[in-house]
DNA sequence: GGGATGCATTGATTTACATCAAACCATCTG
DNA sequence: CAGATGGTTTGATGTAAATCAATGCATCCC
């Protein structure tokens, strides 16, 4: 385990109030059970807290910030398999070692559980197991979409799909956020590693979209989507 | 639902004896419960039985043969997200429509459950839910590996990884099958759609591997792996 | 202020793979 | 048997994206 340090609170307080968090399915009366197993950690930007291949000792529940999950090849090539937002659950491995690494993009708060105690919890709270199955199913759908993207979409289609995904991410379905304003805490390098492209191609594609009047690229990590329709045409494989 | 026809038996008989099948976690005394909800279908080669986007009415458990799962873009580009072998579970969608299509590669036998009755089963048999969670976790790991392959590996690395995966597929871990002999029921087109390549590139890569003495390409669907070591070097990103 | 440092952007060139095209070789069918 | 069909292989050419290479532009720190 890398970066197991970081500030630690006595108890995972935030995740009991987050909707969709793992802890939120526990009945209020049983919260004390949770206090025995859950510890909150604050992970600074860039710090890794799950190392690919290391013994899988803990489960995590993200309560704030953004986490990048990735796999790497021996020569350093990296594929980011997903960005985990608050409510997301990490470390659901059947194997006894982690199949992926995890690193904080910005400042991240996670709720940490030991795996063996988690097993006990699962036995006692069937709702929790149902919730995990639901989460895993959703991730599977996302993974299949990403395979289609990585295997068959062009660079422009990938970036368009990514921006559209980011607009809907973390929002209840059927809501379009705040007028296309996106924050995107990750670097161009992270986006490239997520989309199976290079930094240069991501940058060029964003520049091209700006020239087409589809987006505005602001300072820092701000991007504003000006035309969802144009991006949707692109992402679907037309345009 | 496409191709919902096909020969149907009164009851899913094969899946109760298959290790790792969904039915196998049901206690023998409760098999009668299962008989109420499970129906076996035989699906001929090339026939689709799950249509992407159609209402998700059923769950399936593959009991023999090989199924290809795929997603498609409007213009016809296709990505095969996985091949489902016996024991595999299909249709675990949270949404009310299927996120992918499924089609028989060779002759396939599936055990079909209605989703609403499946929900009742889940309530009554906690073991079943545990088994599904395990299955979903394994698929998630496979999906992450595939994302690394699609996003970051070269054509040679992809084909090498595929052949190695196929050698271990369906076997208990730590067993190397029958001397490198592989059957591969799918066409070059299927392999291409699975690896994010074209038919021609798959064919050329296999020819190259033959020329390198790594494999033998037999008639029909037979491929023999002559040097696992060479393939492993390739798949890891060296060579 | 004046380097460093760490992203991001833009341009020139290369290349791995796709595309286009032609055989090849089974199996099937009238 | 001839011809059609569907998958596979091999070759010639094209191109989208990678690579190589500057330059820009913040923030940080001495």
């Amino acid at each position: 385990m890398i970066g197991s340090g970081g500030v630690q609170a006595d108890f995972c307080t935030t995740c009991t109030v987050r909707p969709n968090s793992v802890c939120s399915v526990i009945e209020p009366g049983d919260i004390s059970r949770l206090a025995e197993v859950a510890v909150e950690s604050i992970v600074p930007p860039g710090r890794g807290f799950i190392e690919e291949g290391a013994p899988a000792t803990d489960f995590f529940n993200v309560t704030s910030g953004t986490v990048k999950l990735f796999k790497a090849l021996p020569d350093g090539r990296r594929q980011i398999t997903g960005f985990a937002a608050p409510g997301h659950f990490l470390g659901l491995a059947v194997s006894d070692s982690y199949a992926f690494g995890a690193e904080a993009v910005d400042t991240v708060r996670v709720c940490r559980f030991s795996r063996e105690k988690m097993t006990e919890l699962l036995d006692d709270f069937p709702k929790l197991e149902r919730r995990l199955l639901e989460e895993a199913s959703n991730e599977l759908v996302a993974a299949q979409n990403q395979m289609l993207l990585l295997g068959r979409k062009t660079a422009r289609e990938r970036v368009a799909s990514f921006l559209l995904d980011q607009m809907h991410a973390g929002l209840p379905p059927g809501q379009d956020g705040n007028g296309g304003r996106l924050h995107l805490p990750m670097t161009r390098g992270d986006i490239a590693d997520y989309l199976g492209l290079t930094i240069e191609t991501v940058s060029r594609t964003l520049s091209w979209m700006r020239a087409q009047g589809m987006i505005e690229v602001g300072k820092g990590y701000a991007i504003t989507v000006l035309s969802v329709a144009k991006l949707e045409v692109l992402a679907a494989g037309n345009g």
Side-chain angles (χ1 to χ4, degrees), chain A:
Chain A
M1 176 79 47
I2 49 182
S4 58
V7 184
Q8 298 211 341
D10 286 335
F11 169 53
C12 167
T13 50
T14 46
C15 88
T16 53
V17 284
R18 290 278 335 173
N20 287 330
S21 76
V22 167
C23 317
S24 67
V25 301
I26 307 286
E27 306 293 330
D30 291 316
I31 288 290
S32 61
R33 269 297 304 278
L34 207 60
E36 300 164 19
V37 297
V39 175
E40 182 168 63
S41 302
I42 298 181
V43 187
R47 166 80 58 86
F49 61 97
I50 293 179
E51 190 188 14
E52 186 181 349
T57 54
D58 296 318
F59 284 87
F60 298 87
N61 193 204
V62 180
T63 54
S64 81
T66 302
V67 174
K68 54 184 168 192
L69 310 175
F70 55 88
K71 289 184 69 78
L73 289 168
D75 64 2
R77 280 174 285 171
R78 235 175 36 137
Q79 178 64 36
I80 292 183
T81 58
F83 293 104
H88 202 103
F89 196 72
L90 302 179
L92 191 68
V94 175
S95 128
D96 49 1
S97 59
Y98 294 114
F100 54 84
E103 190 177 308
V105 173
D106 46 15
T107 298
V108 164
R109 294 154 77 88
V110 291
C111 207
R112 182 193 298 254
F113 308 75
S114 105
R115 279 183 99 223
E116 55 179 22
K117 283 177 185 161
M118 190 70 186
T119 309
E120 293 170 26
L121 269 188
L122 282 185
D123 290 332
D124 296 351
F125 302 102
K127 265 193 181 177
L128 185 53
E129 191 149 42
R130 187 68 54 100
R131 172 72 186 87
L132 289 186
L133 185 56
E134 189 189 303
E135 165 100 6
S137 302
N138 285 330
E139 281 190 55
L140 222 35
V141 170
Q144 287 160 352
N145 284 326
Q146 195 67 3
M147 285 190 254
L148 176 63
L149 181 147
L150 292 170
R152 291 299 180 212
K153 289 188 183 178
T154 66
R156 286 172 184 179
E157 289 162 5
R158 294 181 199 204
V159 174
S161 301
F162 172 70
L163 292 176
L164 290 171
D165 282 351
Q166 289 299 312
M167 291 189 71
H168 299 297
L171 290 174
Q175 201 155 328
D176 58 337
N178 40 3
R181 275 197 113 70
L182 290 176
H183 182 61
L184 303 193
M186 67 291 287
T187 66
R188 295 284 184 271
D190 287 335
I191 297 173
D193 279 348
Y194 180 57
L195 299 179
L197 300 171
T198 58
I199 293 178
E200 295 94 325
T201 298
V202 170
S203 182
R204 270 187 256 273
T205 305
L206 287 173
S207 296
W208 176 83
M209 286 175 171
R210 177 161 40 75
Q212 300 291 312
M214 296 173 173
I215 62 171
E216 253 172 32
V217 183
K219 300 275 169 200
Y221 296 97
I223 284 185
T224 306
V225 174
L226 299 177
S227 169
V228 175
K230 282 185 186 174
L231 287 185
E232 278 170 347
V233 169
L234 247 189
N238 313 88

